[in-house]
Amino acid sequence: METNRNFFITIALSVLILTLWQVFYMGPRMEAQRETARVEQQRIEAQKKEAGTANPNATATPAAPGTVPSAAGNGATPLNRDQALAATKRVKIDTPSLEGSINLAGARLDDLKLKHYTETVDKNSPEIELLNPQALPNGYFAEIGFVGNDKTGAVPGAETVWSVDGYPTLTPDAPVTLTYTNDKGLTFKRTFSVDKDYMFTVSDTVQNSGSSAVSLFNYGRVTRYDKPAVASTYVLHEGLIGFTGTEGLQEHKYASIEKDKQYKPGKSTDGWLGITDKYWAVTLVPTEKQPFQPAFSYFDFNAGPHSHSYQSDYLTDAINVGAGQSATVETEIFAGAKEVNKINAYAEDRHIKRFDLLIDWGWFHFITKPMFWLIDTLYKFFGNFGLAILATTVIVKALFFPLANRSYASMANMKKVQPKMLEIREKYADDKMKQQQAMMELYKTEKINPLAGCWPVALQIPVFFSLYKVLYITIEMRHAPFFGWIQDLAAPDPTSIFNLFGLLPFAAPAFLPHMGAWAVVMGITMFLQMRMNPAPPDPTQAAVFTWMPVIFTFMMGSFPAGLVIYWAWNNTLSILQQGVIMKRQGAKIELWDNLAALFRKKPSPAE
């Protein structure tokens, strides 16, 4: 039993470490993140109210031949969003999934809202604003342009004002063509098309009407001036991202690129690059006709409304256009929600190499991806992700049913031989070595695994973490309701035990750990499951069994509600399964005796 005792001590210490980490690190960090988001929102609102009129045409830092420009701003007072949009001529965008406009200054995608996604679960909450004009503090845009030389004359870039016949609306059924002609006889025609979801196609044709051949470079960039107000946890990548060349996936968090300033992988002829958030992304897919140099950069500015910017860009090799000839390059721009099925469809249908890696499935993707597929498939049947999670729990329990049965059967057999175990302890009370040898011989004779009871819990661990990952990273789970007060399975239970789950007329103090109603249900089911077994004779083991449900209740309070619901339901199924097996094995179910013992008066030492 010494090995068993050490095992439970290890569990106790592990739980203690996790608890301290949750209380003293994760708790304050989450609270700080919420405060950062609140302050940032107040700052933006204040800027919107105080902003005055200014020149909306932000300039770009002049680029030397063979380099991609970086947008620094022009030092003007920031506009609010409506003012910035109204100050430039635009082509409207209207699709089933998107609304916004193309800025004719630079032919930029810098105004985009997601029709199907709102900031909060409130039905009146505003739509997600994915892209914003450069004049704003949270400017975020995608731009395609050219870098020329003396022979080419002025080529389209950040300041170029394009022409368009009338003011058409870009829809999935109606592409829009922009034109620009320079003083060297080069005519640029840019055609924007868009599908019903989130993919734009930009086709640039360069017509050389001059008398001599020219060469120029095509560039694309995704630039943003801010970063998410609430940083992601370690389980998710947010920041600059790409998959190009032989180096494959490149991920650069905001903090790392601020330190490194720039990273240039090797040249490539395929792949993609951009900037990703938890649920949204903007990426460029360069033409396969020209090799290109990808780059991930951070820029510091000494003046202007922006102090810095983050940029993912590419620059193609020289494109040669002979006199009287033309050349066409095509770039795809993804700007939207990272919906799993659509991302996978783009990767397959448009042959975008490893575009599925835009969603951060993590190292255990071989578990996480099937977990999402199962939940998503069940959702299509039930119409509710909460019910899909419950059904997934039943399926997982069924898959591990044979192993769990053997574990519970072994536990039941251990109960039968408890009298013999007590005899061994009494017989070799003064000789721990012989006591351990006798115990091992008993286990061998009775074919009992003393750690069998740990397997059902151990089997839950990979499922638990894969479900947590699915709930945390997939937009399908965002704002997915269950029943009652749970309106977002990906967020913590909004109730709190400290105000009696909303019955008392005040909010729970922020310094207290968050513990909602479902966390309490989970703790109760865990407590009942552990009380199915007889109380361990060892005081250390008994303490672990007593306090573990309490500790886990506090720990799980800040986890996504969907995960807590899964754990509570899994515990309930385990109780039923264990009860049936114990009854079948003829072992006594200790639940009621253990519960009664909690309220039974214990004899005083004097007695």
Side-chain angles (χ1 to χ4, degrees):
M1 290 301 293
E2 185 67 23
T3 303
N4 203 15
R5 178 176 179 273
N6 292 337
F7 176 77
F8 283 107
I9 291 175
T10 302
I11 291 179
L13 291 175
S14 301
V15 171
L16 178 61
I17 292 171
L18 287 172
T19 304
L20 293 174
W21 177 74
Q22 176 74 17
V23 172
F24 293 106
Y25 176 72
M26 282 303 296
R29 182 185 181 196
M30 292 175 65
E31 196 59 40
Q33 289 173 349
R34 285 193 288 266
E35 180 65 16
T36 300
R38 184 184 65 81
V39 172
E40 180 68 12
Q41 185 62 33
Q42 289 178 345
R43 182 184 68 81
I44 293 174
E45 292 299 326
Q47 287 177 335
K48 287 182 178 181
K49 292 179 181 178
E50 297 174 3
T53 58
N55 177 13
N57 296 316
T59 61
T61 303
T67 63
V68 177
S70 63
N74 60 4
T77 302
L79 307 173
N80 65 39
R81 197 172 196 277
D82 291 338
Q83 290 172 329
L85 294 176
T88 57
K89 295 181 179 179
R90 295 179 170 273
V91 170
K92 185 178 179 182
I93 300 171
D94 188 12
T95 78
S97 303
L98 302 170
E99 63 178 335
S101 59
I102 300 170
N103 189 348
L104 290 181
R108 285 177 175 171
L109 279 175
D110 65 353
D111 168 31
L112 214 56
K113 293 183 180 181
L114 307 182
K115 290 184 176 181
H116 302 318
Y117 297 98
T118 56
E119 293 180 3
T120 69
V121 294
D122 191 323
K123 62 180 180 180
N124 297 319
S125 178
E127 295 173 346
I128 292 294
E129 296 174 354
L130 178 61
L131 298 181
N132 296 292
Q134 179 176 336
L136 301 178
N138 61 338
Y140 188 11
F141 56 85
E143 175 186 297
I144 307 297
F146 292 89
V147 176
N149 48 50
D150 293 339
K151 289 185 178 181
T152 63
V155 296
E159 297 179 320
T160 303
V161 178
W162 292 72
S163 300
V164 63
D165 291 334
Y167 287 94
T169 297
L170 176 61
T171 70
D173 300 320
V176 170
T177 299
L178 315 180
T179 59
Y180 170 77
T181 302
N182 71 2
D183 57 350
K184 297 290 186 177
L186 294 182
T187 298
F188 298 84
K189 289 188 177 181
R190 173 167 296 174
T191 300
F192 280 90
S193 57
V194 64
D195 66 9
K196 62 182 179 63
D197 296 314
Y198 307 116
M199 189 68 80
F200 294 83
T201 301
V202 182
S203 179
D204 278 305
T205 298
V206 184
Q207 177 68 48
N208 183 6
S209 300
S211 57
S212 60
V214 297
S215 63
L216 66 169
F217 306 87
N218 178 234
Y219 76 81
R221 61 173 171 158
V222 177
T223 301
R224 73 181 299 174
Y225 296 108
D226 67 343
K227 55 185 176 181
V230 179
S232 65
T233 65
Y234 65 94
V235 301
L236 175 74
H237 171 72
E238 286 187 314
L240 282 57
I241 189 172
F243 189 99
T244 61
T246 58
E247 295 184 48
L249 182 66
Q250 297 112 45
E251 295 179 321
H252 304 277
K253 289 184 176 292
Y254 292 106
S256 65
I257 200 65
E258 288 170 5
K259 179 181 178 181
D260 299 336
K261 304 303 181 184
Q262 188 175 73
Y263 175 74
K264 283 189 175 183
K267 281 190 176 182
S268 178
T269 56
D270 60 5
W272 52 273
L273 72 165
I275 298 178
T276 182
D277 288 343
K278 181 177 181 178
Y279 294 123
W280 338 106
V282 181
T283 65
L284 306 173
V285 185
T287 178
E288 294 184 353
K289 295 181 180 179
Q290 293 288 334
F292 62 88
Q293 173 62 61
F296 306 93
S297 308
Y298 170 78
F299 299 100
D300 280 311
F301 306 128
N302 295 324
H306 309 113
S307 61
H308 57 262
S309 71
Y310 307 89
Q311 183 166 298
S312 295
D313 61 61
Y314 70 86
L315 184 73
T316 67
D317 285 356
I319 301 170
N320 300 310
V321 187
Q325 302 295 315
S326 64
T328 299
V329 292
E330 189 173 274
T331 305
E332 293 175 313
I333 303 175
F334 172 86
K338 298 193 297 186
E339 298 174 16
V340 176
N341 293 332
K342 291 175 183 177
I343 294 293
N344 291 340
Y346 285 136
E348 182 177 352
D349 298 343
R350 296 175 180 250
H351 308 290
I352 305 175
K353 189 175 182 180
R354 295 314 309 270
F355 197 54
D356 60 303
L357 294 180
L358 187 58
I359 299 174
D360 186 5
W361 294 107
W363 291 350
F364 297 101
H365 55 86
F366 53 89
I367 300 176
T368 311
K369 280 188 173 182
M371 176 64 72
F372 171 79
W373 175 86
L374 178 59
I375 294 175
D376 189 54
T377 301
L378 292 170
Y379 165 74
K380 293 172 183 175
F381 178 77
F382 290 108
N384 183 286
F385 272 113
L387 294 178
I389 290 173
L390 299 183
T392 297
T393 311
V394 174
I395 293 173
V396 171
K397 294 290 286 184
L399 290 175
F400 291 114
F401 186 79
L403 183 57
N405 268 10
R406 286 197 295 270
S407 298
Y408 289 137
S410 181
M411 291 167 62
N413 289 332
M414 281 193 69
K415 293 189 178 89
K416 292 181 181 180
V417 299
Q418 273 193 335
K420 295 182 180 179
M421 294 168 64
L422 291 174
E423 289 179 9
I424 292 174
R425 287 198 190 96
E426 293 173 359
K427 184 176 181 180
Y428 301 106
D430 299 327
D431 192 336
K432 295 295 182 182
M433 180 64 71
K434 287 188 176 180
Q435 182 184 115
Q436 186 71 14
Q437 290 174 350
M439 286 288 188
M440 292 298 105
E441 185 64 29
L442 177 63
Y443 295 151
K444 183 178 180 180
T445 302
E446 299 292 339
K447 298 180 180 180
I448 294 173
N449 181 359
L451 299 181
C454 302
W455 282 110
V457 176
L459 291 173
Q460 294 182 43
I461 293 176
V463 178
F464 175 85
F465 282 108
S466 62
L467 180 58
Y468 173 69
K469 185 80 171 178
V470 168
L471 284 165
Y472 190 77
I473 70 168
T474 58
I475 194 170
E476 288 79 0
M477 300 295 174
R478 181 181 183 267
H479 296 176
F482 185 46
F483 295 107
W485 63 92
I486 301 297
Q487 296 300 310
D488 187 354
L489 287 166
D493 186 332
T495 60
S496 174
I497 192 174
F498 298 106
N499 63 359
L500 296 184
F501 312 114
L503 295 178
L504 298 180
F506 59 83
F511 65 87
L512 292 174
H514 186 83
M515 187 168 62
W518 270 105
V520 174
V521 172
M522 187 282 302
I524 292 173
T525 58
M526 187 175 186
F527 171 80
L528 294 176
Q529 183 183 9
M530 300 189 80
R531 293 289 165 172
M532 293 283 287
N533 304 309
D538 185 86
T540 303
Q541 298 176 23
V544 170
F545 273 76
T546 299
W547 288 104
M548 189 178 292
V550 178
I551 293 172
F552 267 82
T553 299
F554 278 91
M555 286 177 56
M556 294 292 291
S558 59
F559 278 71
L563 197 65
V564 182
I565 292 170
Y566 155 78
W567 195 277
W569 177 233
N570 184 76
N571 289 343
T572 303
L573 294 177
S574 296
I575 291 170
L576 296 174
Q577 182 181 8
Q578 187 175 352
V580 170
I581 294 172
M582 291 171 66
K583 187 174 181 180
R584 185 180 301 167
Q585 295 289 328
K588 181 181 179 182
I589 299 176
E590 305 284 346
L591 176 61
W592 306 115
D593 289 345
N594 286 336
L595 292 177
L598 292 175
F599 302 98
R600 189 180 301 127
K601 183 179 178 180
K602 295 180 175 59
S604 63
E607 297 175 351

